[in-house]
Amino acid sequence: LSDAPFLKVEATKFTEVGYHGRDVDQIVRDLMDVSMALTKKRQMEKLREEAKLIVEDRILDILVGPEFSGTKGQRESFRGMLEEGLLENQELEIDVPENLGAAGGGKDGDGAVLAFGTDSNSMSAQAIGDMLKKLGAAGGGNRGGRPGMEKKKMPISEAREVILEIEIEKMLEKVDLKKEAINAAEESGIVFIDEIDKICSSKDFNSKSADASAEGVQRDLLPLVEGTTISTKYGNVNTDYMLFIGSGAFHAVKPSDMLPELQGRLPIRVELNGLTEDDLYKILTEPEANLVIQQIELIKTEGVVLTFNDDALREIAKLAAHLNRTVENIGARRLHTVMERIMEEISFQAAEMDTAEEVTVTKELVQERLSHVMTTSDLSKYIL
């Protein structure tokens, strides 16, 4: 909503046994990557209109020559033809940077760093990368003083996009992206740490936890959440004003099992209620690519038209909520299992059906398919 750099990480990513997880500083480095991409996108949108005007002049320069040579009338007639779209298939020869659109935005040297077996974000890896870049440039990588340009032939319709990209890149060089990105990350960065309960070990159950590095990850997270300065490839980033949100199911452990210092640093505690029938109905119907639309599109590949009645969807939500209450509360994931039960037969029969045949899922069908699940659910707790 606020165009803030946002990053979601799972706490379990930082619990490799043997040493205290992956370096938690990586969280801030990843957040900086997100912030950089956001800032660049925002600036590109700002500059796009300005660049479009330059692109037209660039294309005219290639067609008629620079502005001062040739008659003005000739240039204007070509401009008119361009605007009417008469020259779209005319081929042009343009200078394109070799690494334009290359993976990783043309940050050559990154691929070479990975060959050393180091993490491409670590400081030593960047140093090696920079050195390789310099060596590449010194070794004749810059023909005619310009870094790796190559000539390409393409129709104007394609050339327009390529020239636009080159022009925007040129304009971006004047903007201090790094400074703006660091500012955005420091002032409005949000880090969402999921599964935070998986790095707690229960105090009363057994003092020796199975995962030796879990406590260590909490210790490593402390300075991050309290506020520290971390070096990234864009510069030093201060985490004082970042918003950290932790979440977890806390089935096996209590929030009070976390390190006291970390609890103190996450002062606002919210307990979420289980999903109600209405919530599940919303999840089924409101998202753009909801479960219902997914099933309709899947069956459409067989040429069969599938429709769900509204009361059938209500019934699905009602049964999912009931199963969550009686068996085990697995939240919205329950909708997948309920939907799968209903679609099981239809999916198999769809291949044999005639094209454009219509299948409607009704409330009765839902009840019939799920009747055995509902009856056995009460017995399941007595079966060993």
Side-chain angles (χ1 to χ4, degrees):
L1 288 175
S2 61
D3 218 5
F6 175 81
L7 179 74
K8 173 183 176 288
V9 288
E10 299 210 1
T12 47
K13 175 179 170 183
F14 305 102
T15 55
E16 272 78 273
V17 180
Y19 58 102
H20 289 324
R22 224 181 140 184
D23 205 3
V24 288
D25 297 356
Q26 193 61 42
I27 295 177
V28 178
R29 295 196 186 112
D30 291 346
L31 184 72
M32 267 310 299
D33 288 339
V34 172
S35 179
M36 195 71 183
L38 262 177
T39 309
K40 192 169 182 182
K41 190 177 166 195
R42 216 174 24 242
Q43 289 290 353
M44 280 172 98
E45 289 309 313
K46 275 188 201 165
L47 298 171
R48 192 167 285 276
E49 288 309 312
E50 198 182 322
K52 274 182 180 165
L53 300 171
I54 300 175
V55 168
E56 198 167 272
D57 285 331
R58 281 277 170 282
I59 292 174
L60 288 170
D61 284 350
I62 297 168
L63 286 172
V64 220
E67 209 157 327
F68 40 85
S69 70
T71 57
K72 201 169 174 62
Q74 188 185 10
R75 193 178 176 89
E76 289 309 313
S77 67
F78 266 101
R79 193 188 290 276
M81 284 157 77
L82 255 186
E83 282 165 6
E84 287 168 33
L86 300 174
L87 298 172
E88 292 302 283
N89 297 328
Q90 174 78 30
E91 284 215 332
L92 290 180
E93 196 174 69
I94 52 175
D95 284 337
V96 183
E98 279 175 2
N99 56 12
L100 185 76
K107 293 193 287 282
D108 43 355
D110 281 15
V113 172
L114 296 174
F116 291 104
T118 52
D119 174 26
S120 64
N121 261 321
S122 73
M123 298 309 282
S124 58
Q126 286 157 33
I128 297 170
D130 289 344
M131 190 178 77
L132 287 174
K133 256 189 222 174
K134 281 174 191 160
L135 286 173
N142 47 351
R143 289 188 292 276
R146 292 169 73 182
M149 301 293 272
E150 55 180 345
K151 285 200 181 302
K152 272 191 181 173
K153 268 194 172 180
M154 53 181 77
I156 287 183
S157 51
E158 286 175 29
R160 195 175 275 119
E161 278 306 307
V162 177
I163 297 174
L164 184 65
E165 209 170 309
I166 296 169
E167 288 304 323
I168 290 177
E169 286 292 337
K170 275 186 199 165
M171 288 171 154
L172 281 177
E173 284 170 11
K174 295 174 192 159
V175 183
D176 193 352
L177 282 182
K178 284 183 185 174
K179 192 177 175 187
E180 201 177 317
I182 290 175
N183 234 358
E186 286 184 346
E187 299 294 331
S188 56
I190 303 172
V191 177
F192 187 91
I193 304 172
D194 203 1
E195 310 281 14
I196 202 161
D197 58 320
K198 306 293 184 291
I199 56 169
C200 300
S201 39
S202 178
K203 299 255 189 308
D204 52 353
F205 175 60
N206 186 3
S207 57
K208 289 275 182 286
S209 119
D211 189 358
S213 69
E215 292 279 298
V217 174
Q218 291 187 62
R219 277 202 302 274
D220 287 351
L221 277 173
L222 256 179
L224 264 198
V225 181
E226 286 183 342
T228 182
T229 304
I230 292 198
S231 58
T232 68
K233 59 184 173 190
Y234 304 110
N236 290 345
V237 179
N238 195 333
T239 67
D240 283 357
Y241 304 115
M242 285 182 189
L243 173 65
F244 286 87
I245 307 171
S247 81
F250 288 100
H251 279 309
V253 291
K254 303 188 290 294
S256 56
D257 289 332
M258 285 165 61
L259 282 183
E261 298 91 332
L262 194 57
Q263 283 179 57
R265 283 286 161 193
L266 300 168
I268 302 170
R269 194 171 296 177
V270 181
E271 195 169 327
L272 303 177
N273 299 325
L275 293 169
T276 62
E277 188 181 319
D278 287 338
D279 295 332
L280 290 167
Y281 177 73
K282 280 182 184 168
I283 291 168
L284 266 182
T285 51
E286 287 184 7
E288 278 178 30
N290 56 49
L291 275 178
V292 177
I293 291 174
Q294 287 176 25
Q295 295 297 343
I296 291 171
E297 293 297 324
L298 268 175
I299 300 294
K300 196 193 274 182
T301 58
E302 301 285 0
V304 177
V305 181
L306 178 70
T307 47
F308 284 83
N309 288 349
D310 192 60
D311 56 352
L313 294 178
R314 288 269 171 207
E315 189 67 16
I316 291 172
K318 182 177 153 195
L319 293 175
H322 177 76
L323 285 168
N324 270 347
R325 278 196 306 274
T326 52
V327 185
E328 186 190 358
N329 193 351
I330 57 169
R333 296 187 187 95
R334 180 69 69 193
L335 289 171
H336 278 282
T337 56
V338 172
M339 192 62 98
E340 212 43 58
R341 277 283 155 83
I342 297 163
M343 295 303 300
E344 210 167 15
E345 299 263 315
I346 301 172
S347 300
F348 278 107
Q349 290 163 1
E352 320 290 280
M353 291 178 186
D354 303 328
T355 308
E357 189 171 326
E358 292 191 14
V359 178
T360 306
V361 177
T362 59
K363 184 176 175 179
E364 290 71 35
L365 180 76
V366 174
Q367 287 168 335
E368 176 201 328
R369 291 282 156 83
L370 288 162
S371 57
H372 63 288
V373 182
M374 303 307 286
T375 50
T376 53
S377 67
D378 299 337
L379 302 173
S380 61
K381 58 182 79 150
Y382 303 110
I383 298 169
L384 295 175

